[in-house]
Amino acid sequence: MKLKLLTAALCLTAAGVATGSASAQTLQATKDRGTVRCGVNTGLPGFGYQKDDGEWAGLDVDYCRAIAAAIFGDGTKVVFTPLSAVQRFPALQNNEVDLLARNTTWTMSRDTALGLDFVGVNYYDGQGFMVREELGVTSALQLSGATVCVQAGTTTELNLADYFRANNLEYNPVVIESQADVNAAYDSGRCDALTTDASGLYASRLELANPDEHIVLPEIISKEPLGPAVRQGDSQWMDVVKWVHFALLNAEEFGITQANVEEMKSSDNIEIRRLLGTDGTFGQDAGLPADWAAKAIAAVGNYGEIFERNVGTGSPLGIARGQNALWTNGGLQYAPPVR
Ligand SMILES: N[C@@H](CCC(=O)N[C@@H](CS)C(=O)NCC(=O)O)C(=O)O
């Protein structure tokens, strides 16, 4: 038990330690190299995973491609580095990747003690539980005495401890480094429950032998705002990653899609023309080509298109927009203007 807690503490605080500021040259280094180095999940369907043909896919993966397209006009100029939960922060701190787009929760300790900067939230999530339906449990509060499978080095592991302690429930955590092994342990019956981000539960369920035999319990026990992160101390690079995120959201708000982005460049709406680079010098001011946003949208579509394709109701994960709807549709996704 002590050892397991130590793993989590290491991951959240001292791992990799290089918490100082980044050399403020990531954009130039990226241009010189000709590729963006993106730290992604080792294999989380819908977010970051390799398809059967080896091609990377997922919502986070599309963010990497959008950034490459904004810089190079070409969304294929990305080197993907798969990282486990424990590996991800040292990889970013040690300059092995230029950003993390890896279902990573924005927390205060990661933003401060770990020397990272989060650029925004590309998926509002929360932690949940999955159990076998035959267990007859309908609430997480009935899990007293349960054995719970959880991945090491995650906020998940820490929230689990908080939740059971706060509710005076006993539990036995089974802490495992790789999510594939977490899923396998749960599937083999080693644990009564599996806990992770709700998005991850949908993905994990797909990988079980009989997905229909498992239910997700109603409690969401934490806030998990997931988003891209960069090294602290390089505001120019942070701006690039941040504004690509905002561009994808603004594109959805303005009805700019992968299919119509070219014609939208001559829209009567000046806000659209500013975003697409046919009015003003917004791209150049960020160290990017004038058509940075147009290229990003042409490569992967707007935020809504990215969401639907990878995790939406028409995808195998079947997730509703919910909190990830635009603010104009009652959701939380909101981007500042290109002005
Ligand atoms: N959002 C949480 C959890 C992130 C996380 O690593 N989740 C697991 C479960 S969904 C995962 O992606 N595992 C895949 C892997 O490490 O291969 C965090 O940032 O700590």
Side-chain angles (χ1 to χ4, degrees):
M1 181 65 189
K2 246 189 181 140
L3 258 182
K4 284 166 197 158
L5 287 176
L6 189 67
T7 323
L10 268 178
C11 172
L12 288 169
T13 55
V17 175
T19 53
S21 58
S23 54
Q25 289 169 348
T26 310
L27 179 59
Q28 192 55 50
T30 299
K31 287 179 180 171
D32 293 345
R33 192 188 312 115
T35 53
V36 175
R37 301 172 307 171
C38 217
V40 294
N41 205 298
T42 55
L44 184 64
F47 289 85
Y49 67 106
Q50 273 177 298
K51 296 198 284 193
D52 292 341
D53 61 5
E55 199 193 335
W56 282 96
L59 182 142
D60 282 331
V61 163
D62 281 346
Y63 263 70
C64 303
R65 295 208 172 102
I67 292 158
I71 299 169
F72 302 113
D74 181 348
T76 68
K77 301 281 185 210
V78 186
V79 175
F80 294 103
T81 302
L83 297 168
S84 75
V86 175
Q87 293 166 332
R88 61 187 153 169
F89 301 123
L92 183 58
Q93 290 164 335
N94 297 331
N95 195 15
E96 290 158 27
V97 293
D98 301 313
L99 75 146
L100 280 182
R102 192 211 168 280
N103 57 306
T104 294
T105 306
W106 183 350
T107 68
M108 185 167 176
S109 59
R110 290 172 178 179
D111 213 337
T112 59
L114 282 197
L116 310 183
D117 275 329
F118 286 82
V119 309
V121 179
N122 70 356
Y123 189 96
Y124 286 94
D125 207 345
Q127 182 174 338
F129 294 89
M130 177 161 61
V131 295
R132 273 178 196 73
E133 196 164 16
E134 65 176 23
L135 203 63
V137 164
T138 53
S139 158
L141 295 170
Q142 297 167 333
L143 287 175
S144 188
T147 300
V148 184
C149 278
V150 60
Q151 191 173 7
T154 56
T155 48
T156 321
E157 190 186 356
L158 308 177
N159 298 330
L160 176 67
D162 288 351
Y163 183 76
F164 276 75
R165 196 181 307 115
N167 288 291
N168 287 316
L169 303 171
E170 298 281 320
Y171 77 111
N172 305 306
V174 174
V175 185
I176 299 174
E177 182 171 345
S178 111
Q179 188 65 25
D181 292 343
V182 171
N183 295 346
Y186 169 74
D187 213 9
S188 73
R190 201 171 146 206
C191 303
D192 302 308
L194 184 157
T195 185
T196 187
D197 296 343
S199 58
L201 287 180
Y202 290 97
S204 293
R205 185 154 64 169
L206 291 178
E207 292 180 348
L208 302 177
N210 298 302
D212 296 344
E213 294 175 6
H214 303 265
I215 57 163
V216 173
L217 299 176
E219 288 84 3
I220 293 291
I221 67 165
S222 68
K223 290 191 285 190
E224 304 292 330
L226 311 181
V230 296
R231 278 178 296 283
Q232 192 171 288
D234 188 344
S235 337
Q236 183 193 37
W237 180 241
M238 185 179 176
D239 284 347
V240 167
V241 178
K242 183 165 53 179
W243 279 95
V244 169
H245 169 55
F246 292 153
L248 299 174
L249 289 172
N250 280 324
E252 181 179 10
E253 189 175 330
F254 294 138
I256 307 167
T257 65
Q258 201 168 12
N260 72 15
V261 59
E262 270 313 307
E263 62 196 80
M264 282 292 209
K265 282 182 178 173
S266 48
S267 164
D268 292 337
N269 181 339
I270 191 160
E271 288 190 272
I272 293 180
R273 293 205 309 276
R274 278 191 207 114
L275 176 63
L276 298 182
T278 41
D279 212 291
T281 59
F282 298 94
Q284 294 92 318
D285 296 342
L288 296 170
D291 61 353
W292 62 287
K295 284 290 190 341
I297 300 157
V300 293
N302 66 40
Y303 178 79
E305 293 179 285
I306 296 171
F307 188 100
E308 287 308 328
R309 179 169 64 241
N310 293 299
V311 302
T313 46
S315 77
L317 271 73
I319 303 176
R321 281 296 286 272
Q323 294 178 319
N324 290 295
L326 290 183
W327 65 291
T328 43
N329 294 329
L332 296 176
Q333 290 293 1
Y334 177 106
V338 175
R339 195 64 181 101

